[in-house]
Amino acid sequence: MEKLQYQFRLQPQKNDVLFIDNFKLSTEPTQVLYPYRMAKITKVDNKKQTMSIVLSSLGYRSISRANRDFVVRRHLFSSYFYGEEVELSVKTLLDEEKVIKIKRPFNLLDVENLHNDVEFEKKFEEFPYL
């Protein structure tokens, strides 16, 4: 396991995106065709060592397809996830068969807050790939 992946698994944070094998996590036989899903951590309770996640509404046949949807930022839309939260133990993150990998979005750009902001236009000219 990579050092960064191991660190993410030991210290989960809100908004981390998990790539999971839902069939191994839930053992539901209906998930055989599309077993892979993305999940987003919504809460982490360090005292109880639990976390709450929401599952994606889409299932995938392969992790590469799930990764493609992550790259195009489909996970940023609230409609991409179910509304119901599932509570899991943080120790579940250490099982690489259930949680295949974790990605942590860094410094999300909130476009709604930057709308009509003059400083944003100046920053965009300096750093066009914000």
Side-chain angles (χ1 to χ4, degrees):
M1 187 183 319
E2 296 175 24
K3 184 179 178 182
L4 191 60
Q5 277 291 308
Y6 188 68
Q7 188 177 21
F8 289 166
R9 290 172 190 264
L10 289 178
Q11 300 170 349
Q13 293 180 2
K14 183 179 176 183
N15 293 325
D16 281 357
V17 176
L18 313 174
F19 292 80
I20 62 171
D21 186 335
N22 196 37
F23 180 66
K24 290 183 180 173
L25 194 65
S26 67
T27 64
E28 291 180 24
T30 58
Q31 301 297 329
V32 174
L33 259 175
Y34 302 102
Y36 302 107
R37 291 189 184 271
M38 278 195 274
K40 183 169 74 169
I41 297 178
T42 56
K43 292 181 212 166
V44 177
D45 188 352
N46 291 325
K47 290 180 183 177
K48 295 180 183 178
Q49 288 294 305
T50 60
M51 64 181 177
S52 297
I53 62 170
V54 288
L55 295 172
S56 65
S57 56
L58 293 177
Y60 300 96
R61 286 184 188 212
S62 67
I63 287 296
S64 62
R65 290 192 181 251
N67 197 37
R68 180 196 63 199
D69 277 0
F70 179 82
V71 169
V72 297
R73 299 181 181 259
R74 189 173 274 187
H75 66 283
L76 294 179
F77 296 98
S78 58
S79 61
Y80 180 71
F81 295 101
Y82 289 122
E84 184 179 331
E85 292 183 350
V86 178
E87 191 168 310
L88 297 172
S89 170
V90 174
K91 292 179 183 178
T92 307
L93 294 177
L94 296 175
D95 188 352
E96 289 185 64
E97 289 184 5
K98 293 178 183 176
V99 179
I100 298 161
K101 65 180 165 177
I102 301 174
K103 294 204 176 191
R104 180 167 292 164
F106 293 101
N107 299 330
L108 291 176
L109 181 63
D110 189 358
V111 178
E112 292 175 358
N113 286 339
L114 295 173
H115 188 66
N116 293 328
D117 186 6
V118 178
E119 289 296 317
F120 175 69
E121 292 177 14
K122 291 179 184 175
K123 289 179 189 174
F124 188 75
E125 290 172 2
E126 291 176 38
F127 310 102
Y129 299 106
L130 255 182

